Amino acid sequence: MNAAAEEGADVRVGFIGLGNMGAPMARRLTDWPGGLVVCDARPEATEKFAAAGATVAATPAEVAETASVISVTVLDDTQVRDVVAGEHGILRSAKAGTVVAVHSTIADSTAIELAELCRAQGVDLVDAPVSGGAPGATQGRLAVMVGGSDTAFAAVRHPFRLWADLIVHAGDVGAGTRMKLARNLLHFVSFAAATEAARLAEAAGLDIRRLGEVVRHSDAVTGGPGAILWRDTTAALTPGDSWLPIMSHVRDLGEKDLGLALALGDRLGLDLPLARLGLIRLAEGLGLDASPVTEPNGAPR
C-alpha cells in the first residue's frame, strides 16, 4: 500500500506501549508520511524506533502534544486509565479532534468511561482490540475490531491498514471490545477442547504432535470453528432457510463423531466433559433440534 496516497496520511501518529504486540505494530508505521512518535516506560524499547527516524516522547502527554491519532497497547485496564487520563496522560495535552485508539483488551465499561472523559475535551476514543498475535502484527495481517463513531473510525482506518488487513467497524464505543471477548471465548474454549482431544489421543496410544499436524492442516483448509459463523442471527432455523441443509449436515456429522469419541473415551476409562457438553449443545447452537441419537452407553439422550 502507498500510505502517502491515503487520505489522512499527513497526520502524525503516536504509539504508546512497545511490547510484544505494540512493537511490531509500531514498526510498520515508521515510514508513515505524517511522522511517528513513540513512548514506552522502558527506554530500551524506543531505541530502534529512534534509529529508524521516529520521535521518542517521555510521556503519553508528550505524545499527544503533536500526534493526532494515538494508539495505546499496554497491559490492562489500570495501565490504559493511566495512559489516557493519568497525571502524565494523553488528556493533559491532547487537542480537540485527537483520536485515541486502545488496542489493549480491557472491559467494555472501561472503554465507555474513558470515551466519556475524552469527549469532554473534544477527543474521540475508540476501543480497537486486535486478533492475530505478534506474528500477525509483524506480517501486517492483524484483524482489528473498532468501537467508536464514524468520524473516529475514518480517522484511524488509514494508519491501521499498515498493520491490519481486516478492519471491522463493530459499532459504538465498547463494541470492539465485546467482539474481541466473543472471539477470544471461542479461542480459549477451543484450546480447552484441544487439550481434551490430546488426552484422548494419548490414552489411545497416538502421537499428539502428529494430531496437532492434522488439526492445523485441516483447519487451514476448512476455516476451523469460524467456518460456521456466517449467519446474521443465532435464532432457530426455519423450513426453507438456505442454511437448514448445511447446518443439518454439520449436526449429523458432529453428533455421530462426538458420540464415537465419547464411546472411545468410555472404553479407555477417560472422562471427556467438553465433548459430552458439545454433543448436548451442538444442535441447539446450530439452530436445530438434536438428532434422535443415544449416548454411547445406549441410554436415550
Side-chain angles (χ1 to χ4, degrees):
M1 180 190 72
N2 181 2
E6 292 281 8
E7 178 187 348
D10 57 338
V11 303
R12 200 173 204 202
V13 172
F15 214 104
I16 300 170
L18 303 171
N20 289 337
M21 286 297 297
M25 292 165 69
R27 273 195 293 271
R28 298 188 65 85
L29 290 162
T30 53
D31 292 329
W32 180 253
L36 173 68
V37 54
V38 298
C39 177
D40 193 279
R42 302 159 300 136
E44 65 273 15
T46 63
E47 290 173 357
K48 290 184 178 179
F49 289 93
T55 300
V56 175
T59 66
E62 191 175 320
V63 172
E65 287 176 4
T66 58
S68 301
V69 173
I70 305 172
S71 284
V72 177
T73 309
V74 293
L75 184 61
D76 54 23
D77 295 57
T78 299
Q79 290 188 3
V80 170
R81 289 179 192 278
D82 188 52
V83 165
V84 174
E87 182 181 358
H88 302 289
I90 290 168
L91 288 180
R92 295 294 173 181
S93 60
K95 301 177 289 295
T98 299
V99 180
V100 179
V102 177
H103 304 303
S104 312
T105 301
I106 57 175
D108 60 336
S109 56
T110 300
I112 293 168
E113 173 194 332
L114 290 174
E116 291 174 355
L117 288 176
C118 287
R119 198 172 297 118
Q121 289 188 209
V123 172
D124 258 317
L125 182 140
V126 301
D127 56 316
V130 298
S131 183
T138 300
Q139 298 164 25
R141 298 199 59 205
L142 290 174
V144 55
M145 298 146 276
V146 184
S149 68
D150 291 340
T151 301
F153 180 70
V156 301
R157 188 171 67 244
H158 302 305
F160 283 9
R161 283 179 180 167
L162 292 187
W163 46 257
D165 60 359
L166 177 62
I167 304 171
V168 175
H169 191 184
D172 294 334
V173 175
T177 296
R178 295 177 199 123
M179 185 173 286
K180 173 66 182 290
L181 294 177
R183 191 269 171 274
N184 275 12
L185 180 150
L186 173 61
H187 189 64
F188 290 111
V189 170
S190 296
F191 276 14
T195 65
E196 188 164 290
R199 288 193 294 111
L200 178 64
E202 186 174 53
L206 304 174
D207 185 331
I208 299 172
R209 292 168 301 179
R210 299 312 299 268
L211 170 64
E213 236 182 293
V214 171
V215 170
R216 288 186 291 273
H217 176 85
S218 54
D219 278 3
V221 174
T222 67
I228 66 164
L229 295 177
W230 288 98
R231 298 181 64 208
D232 58 4
T233 176
T234 60
L237 289 161
T238 56
D241 192 304
S242 61
W243 283 106
L244 188 58
I246 298 169
M247 294 303 187
S248 297
H249 178 66
V250 172
R251 175 201 59 195
D252 294 345
L253 281 180
E255 291 182 339
K256 174 181 69 69
D257 289 357
L258 285 169
L260 291 169
L262 285 164
L264 175 59
D266 285 348
R267 293 203 312 273
L268 296 171
L270 188 67
D271 185 31
L272 301 172
L274 283 174
R276 194 168 301 280
L277 184 61
L279 180 59
I280 293 169
R281 298 285 180 83
L282 178 63
E284 180 184 0
L286 294 172
L288 300 163
D289 293 328
S291 300
V293 299
T294 59
E295 292 283 6
N297 62 10
R301 191 175 60 214

